[in-house]
Amino acid sequence: MEEQSGSFFKEYRDKIEGYVEDRLLLLRLKSVKKISTLIVQMVGMAFLAILSAFIVLFISIMLGFFLGHLLDSYYAGFGIVTLLFILVFFLSIVYRKRLMRKIISSIIDTVLDKKEDDD
């Protein structure tokens, strides 16, 4: 009888160990999936940020030359563009808390992505 109960506990101990190992593997795979998704999204966002920076740079140069041509003074044209950037800078400082909340909440939504099925 003792031999039978010993094999019973050994059998279930092996099953429990297998279950725990499988759950840990599943947890690792889910975390790798989340991390890889996050990395891909961050690389994509970095690419879009660089592309946007170039677009803003070239549009501001074009605007500076255009205003300089209209005013017959390139200093005045680029001065107006510089004042526009200074205005945007100060507005971003004033509203930084709202901007940061929106950015952080969008990042959290991306990380937690409630639309995915994690079955």
Side-chain angles (χ1 to χ4, degrees), residues 9-23:
F9 287 119
K10 185 176 186 321
E11 181 182 326
Y12 276 97
R13 180 176 169 245
D14 292 340
K15 286 184 180 181
I16 290 173
E17 284 178 356
Y19 175 75
V20 169
E21 288 174 5
D22 290 344
R23 291 298 291 181

Side-chain angles (χ1 to χ4, degrees), residues 45-109:
M45 289 171 64
F47 176 73
L48 289 176
I50 291 171
L51 186 64
S52 299
F54 278 119
I55 290 171
V56 168
L57 174 71
F58 288 122
I59 287 176
S60 62
I61 291 172
M62 278 183 13
L63 183 63
F65 277 117
F66 177 72
L67 290 174
H69 180 71
L70 288 178
L71 299 172
D72 290 329
S73 171
Y74 288 119
Y75 293 115
F78 281 99
I80 292 171
V81 172
T82 303
L83 288 176
L84 178 69
F85 278 114
I86 290 172
L87 178 68
V88 169
F89 175 74
F90 282 122
L91 287 176
S92 66
I93 288 176
V94 170
Y95 294 109
R96 73 181 176 271
K97 288 184 181 180
R98 286 188 195 169
L99 291 172
M100 290 306 290
R101 279 190 210 130
K102 285 186 178 186
I103 291 170
I104 290 173
S105 66
S106 69
I107 290 172
I108 290 173
D109 287 343

